[in-house]
Structures are given as C-alpha cells and as structure tokens.
Amino acid sequence: MSGQSLLVPGELSPTRSVPGNIRRPEYVGKPAPTPYSGPEVQDSETVERMRIAGRIAAQAMEEAAKHIAPGVTTDELDRVAHEFMCDHGAYPSTLGYRGFPKSLCASINEVICHGIPDSTVLRDGDIVNLDVTAYINGVHGDNNATYLCGEVDEESRLLVERTRESLNRAIKAVKPGRQINVIGRVIESYAKRFGYGVVRDFTGHGINSSFHSGLIIPHYDAAHATTVIEPGMTFTIEPMLTLGTYEYDMWDDGWTVVTKDRKRTAQFEHTLVVTDTGAEILTLP
C-alpha cells in the first residue's frame, strides 16, 4: 500500500452562499431534521422528481471529479460541486445538515466517510471519495464514488474497483419480496473473498423528501434487517470496504470517520427506486 502520511484536519473556508431563490430543505438552520413519518414507497411523481435530483447530484459529482489531481484542495472540489448544483437550481443537501459546513463530503485514504472539504491538498497516490447530494423540487438525490489521484498503488486500485463491483452486485440483488438483508449478504460475501472489512455502523438509508427517512440498509449480513423490499421504495446502497478493520475512530470535528488501523477504505453509492422486477438507479448523469 502507498506510504502516504496520515491525514490531519486542514483549514475551513467561509461557508458558501446559496442564492435566495433556491428552496432549502427544512433542516437548514436547525440542529437536526424533523423525523420523517411518511411512507418508504413513493408515488411515480415523487420518483420522477428524484430522477431530476439524482441526475443533478451525479453531474455535480462528475464535474468535481474532473478536478481531482495532485495539488488541488478538497475545498476546491467542494466549490465546483456547490456552484454546479446552485447553477442548476438545486440546494447542496449536506450544507447545514446537522451543522455540516460544506456542500459535499471528501474522504481521502483512511477516511471512511463524512470528510469535510478544507485546505487539505490532494497528493499523488491518494484515493478520494466524493459524496454529493442535491435537493430540488422537494426531494433529494444522493450518490458517491471513489476516485484515483495520480499514480495509485495496485492494492488501493483493486480496493476501489472491487468496492464499485460490490455495489453493482448489491443493486442486482434488489428484488421485490426479498428482505433488505439480501443487500448486505451479497456485499459481505463478495468482500470476504479479498479479506476486506465491511463497515457496519454507517449504512445506506431511505431517501425521498427526507435526506434520511429512517429506513436502514446494512452492508453486512444483518439478520435483523428483515424489512421486505417493495416496488416504489427509494433508498441508497453505499458499501464502505476497508483493507483492514471495519472499526473506526472519529475526529474531534464530529464528522470525519477514519479506520481504527488507518488502512485505506473506499465507497460507492447510488440512490435507487425498486421496480416490479429489480431496481432502477436514479443517480445517473
């Protein structure tokens, strides 16, 4: 594995502004969102709005990823995604969510998830996960992917490739009538082939007008996850695989989650709607 030094927090830039005409999620300016009490199954009109939100989120992530290169700061990636979403009439869902200060999450190397964009400079050999969610027309679309920065070592490259494949396999396992735990079973059985850890405490989630509806999608074989999958359900799958332990530490910022052994980790995510025969990806550019 790459001999990169471990990450340390950088400096935050001022909070980015969002044009006043862009609708905010209800949680902005509050310590926490109002708990969701609606259905997990969405009507076709809501799903169509989620396609729009998902497409903008995917395009914003794609645009930010074009700027990944040695010497670029994670704050610059945040700027690109923020401006793209605002230019397309969408609010960056993470901005102000439970106090999160930025418009995407940028998680490098040993960071499992929720890295805060700051003055940290990307280095040759890093892997960096971008997690982008857009809110428009009253609904959210959420996706993430892990990218290679410069020349990345083979072990890290394979981790990224196989994490993407674990998501693809999990999406194919989604069928009406199956229990939610089939998703984690598929991911964990695939990850075990390579000796990877599968993060347990951070999961996929229901998503719709609520950023996190309360529906939990474990990425390991969780016997308790017996909710039956139904057509019209909307949720994310976002496996986090590690080169070592799935146990973690959290930085003092209350957000940045790093592997306890500081080995590298990768993640991929899509927002899905369950169809009569499987699942449709809503976060396609």
Side-chain angles (χ1 to χ4, degrees):
M1 190 182 78
S2 170
Q4 298 282 46
S5 58
L6 297 179
L7 292 165
V8 295
E11 295 294 322
L12 285 181
S13 65
T15 301
R16 293 191 161 86
S17 62
V18 176
N21 64 317
I22 293 178
R23 178 178 172 185
R24 273 76 168 149
E26 58 82 24
Y27 53 74
V28 173
K30 295 164 53 177
T34 302
Y36 179 71
S37 58
E40 298 297 346
V41 172
Q42 305 304 310
D43 60 32
S44 58
E45 186 270 338
T46 301
V47 171
E48 181 55 37
R49 286 187 284 132
M50 289 182 68
R51 282 193 188 94
I52 295 168
R55 183 166 60 247
I56 292 172
Q59 290 172 340
M61 184 175 73
E62 198 173 61
E63 196 62 32
K66 291 176 184 176
H67 293 76
I68 291 174
V72 175
T73 65
T74 53
D75 187 67
E76 173 64 8
L77 304 180
D78 182 79
R79 182 194 65 78
V80 173
H82 177 94
E83 291 182 359
F84 185 95
M85 285 185 274
C86 291
D87 287 348
H88 289 78
Y91 185 92
S93 300
T94 60
L95 184 62
Y97 179 78
R98 296 184 181 272
F100 192 84
K102 292 295 174 182
S103 299
L104 58 70
C105 300
S107 302
I108 304 169
N109 298 344
E110 69 269 22
V111 180
I112 294 172
C113 57
H114 304 158
I116 300 174
D118 58 19
S119 62
T120 298
V121 175
L122 296 177
R123 302 163 296 183
D124 186 59
D126 283 341
I127 59 174
V128 55
N129 178 272
L130 301 183
D131 193 336
V132 179
T133 310
Y135 177 80
I136 189 170
N137 298 326
V139 295
H140 301 268
D142 185 4
N143 68 162
N144 76 54
T146 303
Y147 300 91
L148 310 181
C149 181
E151 294 296 319
V152 174
D153 66 89
E154 181 74 355
E155 186 180 36
S156 299
R157 189 188 62 77
L158 286 172
L159 173 68
V160 171
E161 183 180 297
R162 290 164 176 167
T163 305
R164 181 191 293 112
E165 176 62 16
S166 78
L167 173 60
N168 292 339
R169 289 172 181 239
I171 292 171
K172 289 176 183 175
V174 174
K175 306 283 184 190
R178 291 180 173 176
Q179 293 181 343
I180 287 291
N181 56 24
V182 70
I183 294 168
R185 191 173 307 126
V186 166
I187 292 167
E188 188 169 41
S189 63
Y190 179 71
K192 279 183 173 178
R193 292 191 200 177
F194 311 105
Y196 296 154
V198 181
V199 172
R200 291 171 171 245
D201 289 355
F202 301 91
T203 67
H205 52 89
I207 184 171
N208 38 65
S209 59
S210 173
F211 195 171
H212 298 84
S213 72
L215 177 66
I216 301 298
I217 313 294
H219 301 121
Y220 64 99
D221 190 356
H224 64 274
T226 56
T227 300
V228 174
I229 297 170
E230 300 178 58
M233 274 185 170
T234 50
F235 54 80
T236 72
I237 304 176
E238 45 188 299
M240 292 149 263
L241 305 187
T242 66
L243 290 176
T245 184
Y246 61 76
E247 296 181 346
Y248 66 91
D249 294 319
M250 187 175 287
W251 283 4
D252 291 342
D253 61 24
W255 284 104
T256 306
V257 179
V258 295
T259 53
K260 188 168 281 292
D261 57 13
R262 303 304 190 263
K263 291 187 177 180
R264 288 188 169 191
T265 176
Q267 182 184 15
F268 283 83
E269 174 187 21
H270 276 305
T271 295
L272 311 171
V273 60
V274 181
T275 67
D276 290 336
T277 57
E280 176 194 345
I281 297 172
L282 298 178
T283 39
L284 292 175

